Amino acid sequence: KLERKITGWAAFSLRCDQAMEAQASVLRMVPENLHHKLATHLHKGALLAIPIFRDLENCRKEDFVLDLWLQMKPKVFAPYVPITLPRSRADRLFVLLSGSVILQDQGHVVSTLHPGDHFGEYSLLG
């Protein structure tokens, strides 16, 4: 059973590394002055779907959200490994790009998140 879990984790890790390398490879082929436009095209919808960003009144909210996205770093989590501890202070925004996340409270499933879902947005407010 342990061998199967390790093999599954290694395959998952390899797929994630390959995806991140593919994205980095594409960025290396694109002139640096187009990185912002590429990020806009690929990721604008993910952050603008979050209510605190969607409701911004500023006419330049897309620039703000894009600058925020460009500051974010992709992070890959292995299956079934906790992302945060229960009741810990939120210190970052998570935007799910692929896979799913199960939110639990005291061992009970509260919600299941899917690509495009997010949590921790209020951590950005200080």
PDB file of all heavy atoms in Angstrom, residues 103-111:
ATOM      1  N   LEU A 103     -12.253  21.004   2.037  1.00  0.00           N
ATOM      2  CA  LEU A 103     -12.167  21.798   3.261  1.00  0.00           C
ATOM      3  C   LEU A 103     -12.842  21.021   4.376  1.00  0.00           C
ATOM      4  O   LEU A 103     -13.981  20.584   4.229  1.00  0.00           O
ATOM      5  CB  LEU A 103     -12.851  23.154   3.081  1.00  0.00           C
ATOM      6  CG  LEU A 103     -12.268  24.064   2.008  1.00  0.00           C
ATOM      7  CD1 LEU A 103     -13.063  25.360   1.942  1.00  0.00           C
ATOM      8  CD2 LEU A 103     -10.808  24.359   2.281  1.00  0.00           C
ATOM      9  N   GLN A 104     -12.120  20.873   5.485  1.00  0.00           N
ATOM     10  CA  GLN A 104     -12.662  20.125   6.620  1.00  0.00           C
ATOM     11  C   GLN A 104     -12.608  20.986   7.873  1.00  0.00           C
ATOM     12  O   GLN A 104     -11.730  21.825   8.023  1.00  0.00           O
ATOM     13  CB  GLN A 104     -11.852  18.860   6.874  1.00  0.00           C
ATOM     14  CG  GLN A 104     -11.942  17.841   5.781  1.00  0.00           C
ATOM     15  CD  GLN A 104     -11.144  16.581   6.099  1.00  0.00           C
ATOM     16  OE1 GLN A 104     -10.269  16.576   6.946  1.00  0.00           O
ATOM     17  NE2 GLN A 104     -11.455  15.505   5.400  1.00  0.00           N
ATOM     18  N   ASP A 105     -13.529  20.736   8.774  1.00  0.00           N
ATOM     19  CA  ASP A 105     -13.533  21.345  10.095  1.00  0.00           C
ATOM     20  C   ASP A 105     -13.776  20.231  11.106  1.00  0.00           C
ATOM     21  O   ASP A 105     -14.824  19.587  11.081  1.00  0.00           O
ATOM     22  CB  ASP A 105     -14.625  22.423  10.194  1.00  0.00           C
ATOM     23  CG  ASP A 105     -14.577  23.182  11.500  1.00  0.00           C
ATOM     24  OD1 ASP A 105     -13.541  23.124  12.208  1.00  0.00           O
ATOM     25  OD2 ASP A 105     -15.582  23.834  11.831  1.00  0.00           O
ATOM     26  N   GLN A 106     -12.786  19.983  11.930  1.00  0.00           N
ATOM     27  CA  GLN A 106     -12.842  18.930  12.944  1.00  0.00           C
ATOM     28  C   GLN A 106     -13.206  17.575  12.323  1.00  0.00           C
ATOM     29  O   GLN A 106     -14.028  16.827  12.848  1.00  0.00           O
ATOM     30  CB  GLN A 106     -13.817  19.303  14.056  1.00  0.00           C
ATOM     31  CG  GLN A 106     -13.395  20.563  14.798  1.00  0.00           C
ATOM     32  CD  GLN A 106     -14.372  20.956  15.891  1.00  0.00           C
ATOM     33  OE1 GLN A 106     -15.399  20.325  16.088  1.00  0.00           O
ATOM     34  NE2 GLN A 106     -14.028  22.012  16.597  1.00  0.00           N
ATOM     35  N   GLY A 107     -12.591  17.286  11.172  1.00  0.00           N
ATOM     36  CA  GLY A 107     -12.781  15.997  10.526  1.00  0.00           C
ATOM     37  C   GLY A 107     -14.028  15.887   9.665  1.00  0.00           C
ATOM     38  O   GLY A 107     -14.242  14.866   9.017  1.00  0.00           O
ATOM     39  N   HIS A 108     -14.853  16.914   9.637  1.00  0.00           N
ATOM     40  CA  HIS A 108     -16.076  16.887   8.823  1.00  0.00           C
ATOM     41  C   HIS A 108     -15.868  17.724   7.567  1.00  0.00           C
ATOM     42  O   HIS A 108     -15.352  18.841   7.630  1.00  0.00           O
ATOM     43  CB  HIS A 108     -17.266  17.452   9.617  1.00  0.00           C
ATOM     44  CG  HIS A 108     -17.618  16.613  10.810  1.00  0.00           C
ATOM     45  ND1 HIS A 108     -16.915  16.665  11.989  1.00  0.00           N
ATOM     46  CD2 HIS A 108     -18.589  15.691  10.978  1.00  0.00           C
ATOM     47  CE1 HIS A 108     -17.445  15.819  12.861  1.00  0.00           C
ATOM     48  NE2 HIS A 108     -18.468  15.204  12.260  1.00  0.00           N
ATOM     49  N   VAL A 109     -16.287  17.184   6.425  1.00  0.00           N
ATOM     50  CA  VAL A 109     -16.160  17.909   5.163  1.00  0.00           C
ATOM     51  C   VAL A 109     -17.112  19.100   5.167  1.00  0.00           C
ATOM     52  O   VAL A 109     -18.310  18.950   5.390  1.00  0.00           O
ATOM     53  CB  VAL A 109     -16.454  16.981   3.963  1.00  0.00           C
ATOM     54  CG1 VAL A 109     -16.463  17.775   2.667  1.00  0.00           C
ATOM     55  CG2 VAL A 109     -15.435  15.853   3.902  1.00  0.00           C
ATOM     56  N   VAL A 110     -16.549  20.278   4.951  1.00  0.00           N
ATOM     57  CA  VAL A 110     -17.330  21.510   4.906  1.00  0.00           C
ATOM     58  C   VAL A 110     -17.673  21.869   3.462  1.00  0.00           C
ATOM     59  O   VAL A 110     -18.767  22.293   3.152  1.00  0.00           O
ATOM     60  CB  VAL A 110     -16.559  22.677   5.573  1.00  0.00           C
ATOM     61  CG1 VAL A 110     -17.299  23.985   5.434  1.00  0.00           C
ATOM     62  CG2 VAL A 110     -16.263  22.364   7.027  1.00  0.00           C
ATOM     63  N   SER A 111     -16.687  21.666   2.581  1.00  0.00           N
ATOM     64  CA  SER A 111     -16.876  22.029   1.185  1.00  0.00           C
ATOM     65  C   SER A 111     -15.799  21.361   0.342  1.00  0.00           C
ATOM     66  O   SER A 111     -14.753  20.968   0.858  1.00  0.00           O
ATOM     67  CB  SER A 111     -16.766  23.555   1.030  1.00  0.00           C
ATOM     68  OG  SER A 111     -16.964  23.935  -0.298  1.00  0.00           O
TER      69      SER A 111
END
